[in-house]
Amino acid sequence: MTATTTSGAQRRIGGGLLDPKQLWKSLPAALAKLDPRTLWRNPVMFIVEVGAVFTTVLAIGDPTLFAWLITIWLWLTVLSANLAEAVAEGRGKAQAASLRAAKRDTMAIRLTEWTPGQDQSRYRDEVVAAADLRLGDIVVVAAGEVIPGDGDVVEGIASVDESAITGESAPVIRESGGDRSAVTGGTKVLSDRIVVKITQKPGESFIDRMIALVEGASRQKTPNEIALNILLAALTIIFLLSVVTLQPMAIFAKAFQGAAPDTAAINGDGISGIVLVSLLVCLIPTTIGALLSAIGIAGMDRLVQRNVLAMSGRAVEAAGDVNTLLLDKTGTITLGNRQASEFLPVEGVTPETLADAAQLSSLADETPEGRSIVVLAKQDYGLRAREEGLMPNAQFVPFSAETRMSGVDLTDRRIRKGAASAVMKWVRENGGHPTEQVGDTVDAIAGSGGTPLVVAEHIEGEPARALGVVHLKDVVKAGMRERFDEMRRMGIRTVMITGDNPRTAKAIADEAGVDDFLAEAKPEDKMALIKKEQEGGRLVAMTGDGTNDAPALAQADVGVAMNTGTSAAKEAGNMVDLDSDPTKLIEIVEIGKQLLITRGALTTFSIANDIAKYFAIIPAMFAGIYPSLDALNIMRLSSPESAILSAVIFNALIIIVLIPLALRGVRYRPSSASKLLTRNLWIYGLGGIIVPFIGIKIIDLIIQGIF
Amino acid sequence: MSMTVAGVLFIVSLLAALAVAYRYFGDYMYRVVVGARHSLAERGIYKILRVNPEGEQSWKAYAGSLLAFSAISLLFLYALLRLQHVLWPNPNFPGVTDHVAWNTAVSFVANTNWQAYSGESTMTHLSQMAGLAVQNFVSASVGVAVAVALVRGFARRKSGTLGNFWVDLTRITLRIMLPVAVVATVALVIGGVVQNFSGGHDVTTLTGGTQTITGGPVASQEVIKELGTNGGGFMNANSAHPFENPTPWTNWIQLFLILLIPVSMPRVFGRMVGQNRQGYAILAVMGILAIASIGLTNVFEIAGNGTVPHAIGAAMEGKEIRFGVSDSASFGAITTLTSTGAVNSFHDSYTSLGGMMPMINMMLGEVAPGGVGAGLYGMLVLAVITVFVAGLMVGRTPEYLGKKIGAREIKFASIYFLITPATVLTGVAAAMATKNHTTMLNVGPHGFSEVLYAFTSAANNNGSAFAGITVNTGWWDTALGFAMLLGRFLPIIMVLGLAGSLAAQQPVPESKGTLPTHRPLFVGMLVGVTVVLVALTFLPALALGPLAEGL
């Protein structure tokens, strides 16, 4: 699996390299694909095969070296195309094999008449084969056992080894209720015992679908692929007509120049069949025709390599078209939790005092916020965390929703930290008068989108006083701003979804650099936003994991469900991210774009190639009749035969040469459409015109001795 | 003035006039096709036709109306030509023979105006005016209507309809074609073009022979011949005839009329889709192709490669002294860049490469700027294909003006693009295989060019002739008739189908990820795609004709 770093400008879509051994290994599969019954689905290559059969017959009838060489290279052209597809499929097959290993013949313990909360001793169970489980069956899985099918945990909590499908060896927690209830068949329970309700039909498990996907068995052509196929078919028909109608014209020309000597290309009966087929094969868009399906398979494969399963190729293409990305704030844009970023003491209090008090009050606070205070105090003021045991008299006051404070009571000193209003109230109750400065600081922090925590102390015999404010804030993940800038350059609008109030949301949105935000968002709001965007003709992508995300996931054009999420969410989305990393949505978009770009670039290249081939073949065919046409032989190819053969050989070799590019995808840097087009036009358009001139000339130089 | 200065002045003044027309005449046409009001005369016509002018049509209904109208026109014109000898007024011409009548009827209904006859010695004034001239008007309006329907496809959102064919046809004829025709007729008469109802005068020439000087309503016919990019001349010699086109000045007017509507159509497009820059981009593509083509034709003709041109100093064979090489070459290029079959010189007598240029112009699909309406819709179909390939290269489902170019759209565009080359190449191959090419005047590559030109002209609905080949045999009349019919109406059906599927879409809003279709990059790519696709399709055929001869 390819490692991808997810930060900074270095992160680029790559792909596996092509191992020459893979070509060799795929040869049997490529040969099997010569069967016309499978090949006819690719009209361009089917025409080449028909041409190859035709020239074979001609070569048997009139066995010349030229005829046989052309025939061999025509067959190699078809074979190259098959090889490209076979190699692309081969990579998926390896993955499928490891998945199949996970799909062993497991037995399941099915509970009959189970009711929630039922005591374990009253279970009535029976042992059935996993394959016989039906939708809605209840099974119990204990530690060390393999989960027999996809389902939701309805009772219990367990750590599960999901490495069979995710490749990630660290176990994950699965529990009933909540958004981490989904379990996948084939994964293994490591500890505890869970009761699972089966949510799949027999033979339609997640692993079954995964195997089908990576093998390409269920591959259907995507909308753009269908459209491109139509265009390629139309071009093929045009060139077929050009070539077929050329014959009577050539016969007329030959008859007119009766004195011109017969050549291998043309005689009184017209152009030889071998040469006509060669011309046709060189003109029809064989390069893209040969590589088109490999590009599609490889695109899906690149997703699989990133542990994303797309349920359809259509979804991958849609990802490239996405106009709006909905991103959950927590976990995607920001690190999971708020963190202390600053101590702001009131006048007369040193920062160290405040930090010390804040740290003391947080020692027993196991929330991420509390721990971040301890970390900050140590980092900024060198205050080491005191062990709880070292303060025997300390009474820790835990946070409660009622008091909205937590703190510690020492022998002669009480410290509280918490929501501003609650702590201020506590100060006043204990005889203190918080200065205005505290209020101002609190407002300033709240205004900047942070969360203020006021710290106060009450020393025995003195009025309580506020020491200052701890600034808690959401920490935006590193590199997010750059990624959103990239998105903007690609023309994609990013919208942050958060339950925060609008002020906080705005501050984080500004810091992260997203284009828009939806604050105080409820699931219905998300749904409404998606619908609104779609009404404007935009395509929306989102990630989600909870059951309440399911309708929005289904509504979105690209819905990426987290593997940790509920079955409902996984069912509703059209992709599943096995790593459960919401940032991956951005990579998915890039892969979708790269897939389309690769198709477009190779189509352009393929069509541009024809120009050079004409300059090789037309003079080779007709210069014997009309010597002036030799002026078109600008490559100065040595003989008509070597010119035609060189064009045919180039046509076959270029397919092999481009297989790695088709599998890897063309290089993609997020940038505006104009920049992308300029770059790709130069490389694949201009390159497509020039490369064959050079290639055909070189091949001609090598083979010219033969004729 | 030297020949070159005169040529430059001619072109520059023409371009200036067209630039003004683009802006103002384009806006005028825009208002005509989008306006809500119906004039009294129009309401009368709708009443007679029993058409509800507010009733919108789906693409199928629109196409159905268009085909029905054209079929009726075809039958009517055929009957008129066959029966002209019994109708009044008749200057003693017999009825037109069956295959010529078929060929001519198709030709004029299909806006091709290929003429397998000599107008002045075959057609009665009634046939000219009630038959041919009427078709000159309405067949041109049909072309504009189809273009407008396609643009509506881009402009409308989630719509099942494309407008009303009868309303478009009526308005375009009454408000665009007629008024311009009237004004221009006066201008041409002032310029010296004949306009009378004379049946012809016999005069004794200087050498003592007798010659019939034919008169007739020439100027009025002439105007719509050019304005509607028809090209069917009153006289056999067409715009080379001194009664049709007496001076360089009338030549200028004729060229202006030919280009007026095709050049202004991109403006209508830009206005209707709400982005004038899109219109400018399409105009730029047309302009680049046109200027390159006119320039090359002039270069080939003025360089005058060939024995005779070298001997006399210029390629003057087949050209009128009063126009000279440059004006003739430009006229030849412009009439073939549009779908006007008019000629003021004989393309057969051009230098080999000079004679190839009109062929290439037509093979481009006549899109620079093309026939009235047909040029715009042809160019937009090419733009759709270009957007498709370019769009993939920017990593999105290709879209043009917010409309996605998917399988359905590509199907229509591809078939559109297939029809004409298929018709041309099949026709030429058939002529060669069936030995019908033997009617050609020349042998070898030049003779082949004559055949290639004939089918290219017919299938692209140009109507100009290379000349040199006898085409009023039964085989040629029938074959070319089919070429014209297929080359006109199958593409129109595809265009309307494309329009229908575009109109039904909800447009995608523009973003930075959208391929901009108004920038030089796209303009250049569209030029490239147009040229490359045509070159790839026709290069083998051209190699055996003009290239074999000219290189």
Side-chain angles (χ1 to χ4, degrees), chain B residues 358-421:
Chain B
M359 273 189 250
I360 291 183
N361 291 341
M362 293 185 284
M363 287 165 178
L364 290 174
E366 289 167 1
V367 289
V372 284
L376 180 67
Y377 67 66
M379 182 55 86
L380 290 179
V381 171
L382 281 165
V384 162
I385 292 178
T386 306
V387 157
F388 181 72
V389 177
L392 286 179
M393 275 198 289
V394 305
R396 283 175 71 92
T397 295
E399 61 210 39
Y400 189 34
L401 297 165
K403 297 300 178 84
K404 290 206 164 143
I405 309 301
R408 202 177 148 76
E409 290 76 19
I410 278 293
K411 201 179 292 167
F412 285 120
S414 295
I415 298 176
Y416 175 97
F417 181 71
L418 256 174
I419 294 164
T420 330

Side-chain angles (χ1 to χ4, degrees), chain A residues 224 227 238 241-242 249 252 256 320-321 323 490-491 535-536 538 593 596-597 604 614 626 628 673-674 677-678 680, chain B residues 389 392-397 410 417-418 422 440 444 448 506 509 511-516 519 521 536-537 540 548 551:
Chain A
N224 279 311
I238 288 176
L241 272 170
S242 295
M249 303 182 200
F252 163 78
F256 167 67
D321 288 343
N323 303 83
M490 287 155 66
E535 266 159 32
R538 296 184 186 83
K593 285 194 178 293
L596 294 184
I597 293 175
T604 309
Y614 262 136
Y626 299 125
S628 61
S674 297
L677 181 62
T678 314
N680 291 324
Chain B
V389 177
L392 286 179
M393 275 198 289
V394 305
R396 283 175 71 92
T397 295
I410 278 293
F417 181 71
L418 256 174
M440 65 203 191
F448 177 76
Q506 157 84 9
S511 78
K512 269 193 185 157
T514 313
L515 172 79
R519 300 252 180 86
L521 184 66
L536 293 182
T537 312
L551 282 176

Side-chain angles (χ1 to χ4, degrees), chain A residues 54 83 92 234 293 313 491 582 590 635 648 680:
Chain A
F54 183 56
L83 209 51
S293 72
E590 293 185 356
M635 285 175 273
V648 170
N680 291 324

Side-chain angles (χ1 to χ4, degrees), chain B residues 197-531:
Chain B
F197 283 94
S198 155
H201 301 284
D202 288 340
V203 295
T204 307
T205 61
L206 289 176
T207 50
T210 325
Q211 190 183 354
T212 307
I213 302 296
T214 326
V218 181
S220 56
Q221 195 95 328
E222 198 64 16
V223 164
I224 192 62
K225 169 187 114 182
E226 314 294 18
L227 180 67
T229 63
N230 292 292
F234 196 90
M235 317 283 184
N236 185 34
N238 211 304
S239 289
H241 196 290
F243 284 3
E244 283 202 12
N245 192 9
T247 62
W249 163 236
T250 54
N251 199 38
W252 190 97
I253 297 180
Q254 296 204 356
L255 285 176
F256 178 73
L257 288 174
I258 289 172
L259 292 168
L260 177 63
I261 295 177
V263 164
S264 305
M265 283 307 288
R267 175 75 178 181
V268 180
F269 167 62
R271 289 292 306 267
M272 284 178 75
V273 301
Q275 292 184 50
N276 283 335
R277 59 191 191 180
Q278 300 288 354
Y280 284 115
I282 292 293
L283 183 70
V285 177
M286 292 174 166
I288 291 168
L289 288 169
I291 287 166
S293 168
I294 295 169
L296 278 176
T297 314
N298 271 291
V299 167
F300 290 142
E301 287 305 294
I302 291 170
N305 281 331
T307 320
V308 179
H310 272 302
I312 60 170
M316 279 305 292
E317 184 198 314
K319 297 192 177 71
E320 291 289 313
I321 299 288
R322 66 182 188 282
F323 302 133
V325 175
S326 183
D327 279 12
S328 303
S330 302
F331 194 96
I334 290 172
T335 50
T336 48
L337 282 165
T338 59
S339 91
T340 317
V343 287
N344 76 354
S345 56
F346 282 84
H347 298 172
D348 195 21
S349 303
Y350 279 21
T351 59
S352 312
L353 296 178
M356 178 177 71
M357 291 312 296
M359 273 189 250
I360 291 183
N361 291 341
M362 293 185 284
M363 287 165 178
L364 290 174
E366 289 167 1
V367 289
V372 284
L376 180 67
Y377 67 66
M379 182 55 86
L380 290 179
V381 171
L382 281 165
V384 162
I385 292 178
T386 306
V387 157
F388 181 72
V389 177
L392 286 179
M393 275 198 289
V394 305
R396 283 175 71 92
T397 295
E399 61 210 39
Y400 189 34
L401 297 165
K403 297 300 178 84
K404 290 206 164 143
I405 309 301
R408 202 177 148 76
E409 290 76 19
I410 278 293
K411 201 179 292 167
F412 285 120
S414 295
I415 298 176
Y416 175 97
F417 181 71
L418 256 174
I419 294 164
T420 330
T423 312
V424 173
L425 293 172
T426 313
V428 174
M432 290 299 164
T434 58
K435 306 290 175 202
N436 274 293
H437 59 80
T438 45
T439 58
M440 65 203 191
L441 185 68
N442 295 77
V443 289
H446 200 77
F448 177 76
S449 295
E450 290 167 0
V451 175
L452 180 61
Y453 194 106
F455 273 102
T456 308
S457 175
N460 283 293
N461 302 127
N462 184 279
S464 71
F466 206 46
I469 185 167
T470 307
V471 288
N472 56 0
T473 67
W475 190 88
W476 276 102
D477 277 338
T478 314
L480 291 177
F482 276 113
M484 291 186 281
L485 201 62
L486 290 177
R488 174 74 168 179
F489 293 103
L490 274 185
I492 282 182
I493 296 171
M494 295 307 136
V495 168
L496 291 174
L498 176 64
S501 115
L502 292 171
Q505 287 187 32
Q506 157 84 9
V508 181
E510 208 178 312
S511 78
K512 269 193 185 157
T514 313
L515 172 79
T517 50
H518 60 275
R519 300 252 180 86
L521 184 66
F522 183 77
V523 168
M525 193 170 170
L526 183 46
V527 170
V529 166
T530 308
V531 172

Side-chain angles (χ1 to χ4, degrees), chain B residues 10-35:
Chain B
F10 187 91
I11 292 285
V12 168
S13 58
L14 190 59
L15 289 180
L18 288 170
V20 175
Y22 177 82
R23 179 77 166 68
Y24 296 100
F25 190 68
D27 282 355
Y28 171 72
M29 287 204 293
Y30 164 74
R31 286 195 297 275
V32 168
V33 295
V34 301

Side-chain angles (χ1 to χ4, degrees), chain A residues 419-674:
Chain A
S421 53
V423 177
M424 305 280 243
K425 190 167 160 241
W426 179 81
V427 170
R428 285 194 197 91
E429 280 167 6
N430 291 290
H433 300 280
T435 57
E436 264 180 32
Q437 198 195 348
V438 180
D440 291 346
T441 314
V442 164
D443 287 347
I445 291 171
S448 73
T451 308
L453 280 185
V454 176
V455 182
E457 67 170 1
H458 183 212
I459 295 170
E460 210 55 60
E462 290 176 34
R465 60 166 184 161
L467 295 171
V469 188
V470 181
H471 184 172
L472 290 183
K473 70 180 202 182
D474 270 315
V475 179
V476 174
K477 285 185 179 173
M480 290 317 281
R481 178 172 275 278
E482 289 72 26
R483 298 201 98 177
F484 293 137
D485 286 345
E486 277 179 1
M487 291 285 127
R488 204 166 298 118
R489 280 200 291 280
M490 287 155 66
I492 296 172
R493 208 165 72 91
T494 42
V495 181
M496 183 182 83
I497 312 286
T498 172
D500 292 340
N501 64 53
R503 211 157 54 161
T504 310
K506 181 171 188 327
I508 297 163
D510 287 347
E511 191 185 341
V514 293
D515 296 308
D516 204 352
F517 62 88
L518 182 66
E520 290 169 351
K522 293 183 290 295
E524 311 87 82
D525 299 337
K526 218 188 235 186
M527 188 73 177
L529 179 66
I530 293 174
K531 282 195 173 148
K532 199 186 97 199
E533 293 283 317
Q534 286 174 335
E535 266 159 32
R538 296 184 186 83
L539 263 62
V540 184
M542 67 168 284
T543 59
D545 52 6
T547 301
N548 54 18
D549 281 335
L553 277 172
Q555 178 72 32
D557 301 280
V558 178
V560 184
M562 300 293 104
N563 192 42
T564 53
T566 58
S567 324
K570 278 155 91 174
E571 204 60 48
N574 45 19
M575 291 190 199
V576 175
D577 179 18
L578 300 175
D579 297 341
S580 305
D581 169 11
T583 8
K584 215 180 267 169
L585 193 49
I586 298 171
E587 270 173 72
I588 293 172
V589 168
E590 293 185 356
I591 289 173
K593 285 194 178 293
Q594 195 192 25
L595 179 66
L596 294 184
I597 293 175
T598 308
R599 284 197 197 125
L602 289 182
T603 304
T604 309
F605 186 84
S606 191
I607 296 171
N609 271 203
D610 281 3
I611 297 170
K613 292 173 192 163
Y614 262 136
F615 278 97
I617 296 181
I618 286 184
M621 282 194 301
F622 297 136
I625 307 175
Y626 299 125
S628 61
L629 287 177
D630 199 45
L632 292 178
N633 183 9
I634 54 174
M635 285 175 273
R636 311 304 328 153
L637 303 175
S638 62
S639 71
E641 288 91 340
S642 77
I644 294 166
L645 185 59
S646 300
V648 170
I649 293 177
F650 175 84
N651 197 50
L653 287 183
I654 197 73
I655 296 174
I656 300 278
V657 170
L658 290 175
I659 289 177
L661 183 71
L663 296 184
R664 198 182 61 229
V666 303
R667 208 166 59 113
Y668 172 67
R669 278 174 183 287
S671 49
S672 71
S674 297

